[in-house]
Amino acid sequence: AYAGSPEYNPYDTKIGDIRKAAIDFQSKQMFPEAIAEAQKGLARSQYNIDLLIILATCYRTLGDTANADKSRELWMSLMDSVLRSGDGHSYATAFKVISVDEEYSLLWVLQLEVINQSLESHDGSQFDVMRVKSGKSDQEFVLYFNVDLPKKWLDRQLAAPAK
């Protein structure tokens, strides 16, 4: 439903800058500033897993367990949603994502490193196909991500008349 809402923008270029600033604050142990930056980003992209992880971590570090748990519950439910959408081992069972950021959040949580990536079409759908390597071993394998939702959003933007 979120992907159909007016707030949905999987290609908001400001989110990357906001995420970077929040990470910088967090790494400097400036947790209130990191929280403020993450909240600013979540006002633009309410289901951004990376920003929710930053928020949960900073709240926990500051001892605010209620907000830490609330943020953690939300990012974990979003991650579970992606993981329940498929197993990522084929086009037919690809993980369904609402943004490219979600792909990288999943890879980070699963401790996988991208070796290479390609955008492919299959049966009328678009997929990011990634060769990844486990951070725990040198095992390589391919994961498939269905990117129809962000691609359709982009197509609508490109087809819209100029303002």
Side-chain angles (χ1 to χ4, degrees):
Y2 173 64
S5 73
E7 294 82 26
Y8 177 65
N9 179 352
Y11 297 103
D12 184 343
T13 57
K14 293 184 182 183
I15 291 297
D17 294 335
I18 292 168
R19 181 177 46 243
K20 183 182 179 316
I23 290 169
D24 287 345
F25 284 131
Q26 184 181 14
S27 70
K28 294 174 184 170
Q29 298 186 9
M30 298 171 68
F31 301 114
E33 293 84 351
I35 288 169
E37 202 66 21
Q39 288 172 333
K40 182 169 85 174
L42 289 167
R44 298 179 70 91
S45 179
Q46 64 182 322
Y47 298 116
N48 186 289
I49 294 170
D50 290 343
L51 293 173
L52 288 164
I53 290 171
I54 291 166
L55 206 56
T57 303
C58 290
Y59 279 136
R60 180 126 2 251
T61 302
L62 293 175
D64 185 346
T65 55
N67 277 319
D69 290 347
K70 183 175 151 186
S71 301
R72 182 177 185 272
E73 183 178 322
L74 182 51
W75 78 254
M76 287 186 66
S77 69
L78 294 168
M79 192 63 60
D80 286 344
S81 175
V82 174
L83 290 168
R84 281 193 309 267
S85 70
D87 64 16
H89 293 207
S90 70
Y91 292 115
T93 63
F95 294 121
K96 292 178 179 67
V97 295
I98 63 169
S99 70
V100 173
D101 285 348
E102 258 189 2
E103 296 174 38
Y104 285 94
S105 296
L106 179 71
L107 295 172
W108 181 79
V109 167
L110 297 177
Q111 298 179 0
L112 299 172
E113 176 186 340
V114 177
I115 296 167
N116 62 42
Q117 173 181 1
S118 62
L119 179 63
E120 299 180 12
S121 295
H122 180 78
D123 285 346
S125 289
Q126 297 288 312
F127 298 86
D128 272 342
V129 180
M130 296 189 188
R131 175 161 291 285
V132 297
K133 179 173 79 168
S134 171
K136 298 176 184 176
S137 70
D138 285 333
Q139 178 187 7
E140 292 183 15
F141 53 96
V142 174
L143 286 178
Y144 296 81
F145 294 89
N146 181 305
V147 293
D148 283 345
L149 289 173
K151 177 75 170 76
K152 286 177 184 172
W153 180 91
L154 185 58
D155 290 345
R156 283 192 307 273
Q157 301 311 304
L158 295 173
K163 292 180 180 180

